[in-house]
Amino acid sequence: PTRSCNARSLEEFLEMAADSAAQFSTIQVGVCTARRESDEDPFAWSLTAHNFMTCPDGQARVFKVDVASLSFLRQHDFDFNEWLDTGIPHSKLQPIFHALRK
């Protein structure tokens, strides 16, 4: 389902997106690497996608999820057991910055 957005500008939309993203945990990070295939053809590139499962570290006892997002992941065969077993532990940056400033 499409969600409505009441943003009146791109800046307002990005601010709303950042506020929303800060409330949720990252469960996967994707990186795409690029390699030029040919010196003769500047438009010949080889792209490779890499996905890394990430899981909140042991200090994050509770994290927020969206039921529609969980449903989407399940429909697309996201393996929640693998996520818990092999996910790279991470912490949110904001608490780390606060701890460093003390």
Side-chain angles (χ1 to χ4, degrees):
T2 303
R3 296 181 184 172
S4 63
C5 177
N6 297 325
R8 291 172 277 183
S9 67
L10 177 59
E11 290 79 13
E12 189 175 338
F13 170 78
L14 293 174
E15 186 175 323
M16 291 169 67
D19 289 343
S20 177
Q23 297 178 33
F24 295 92
S25 292
T26 303
I27 64 168
Q28 190 175 47
V29 174
V31 177
C32 184
T33 58
R35 182 173 51 99
R36 188 174 293 206
E37 286 292 315
S38 166
D39 290 335
E40 294 84 35
D41 183 357
F43 301 106
W45 289 87
S46 174
L47 305 176
T48 306
H50 305 275
N51 291 305
F52 304 95
M53 291 188 185
T54 62
C55 193
D57 67 8
Q59 295 180 12
R61 303 269 183 240
V62 176
F63 65 98
K64 186 175 181 179
V65 295
D66 179 75
V67 173
S69 297
L70 289 177
S71 179
F72 172 86
L73 291 170
R74 189 180 74 192
Q75 289 172 4
H76 291 87
D77 298 322
F78 185 85
D79 188 337
F80 290 95
N81 291 321
E82 181 182 355
W83 171 64
L84 289 171
D85 292 341
T86 65
I88 301 167
H90 70 87
S91 298
K92 291 191 175 217
L93 290 177
Q94 190 172 11
I96 293 171
F97 287 141
H98 287 300
L100 291 174
R101 290 187 178 149
K102 289 182 179 180

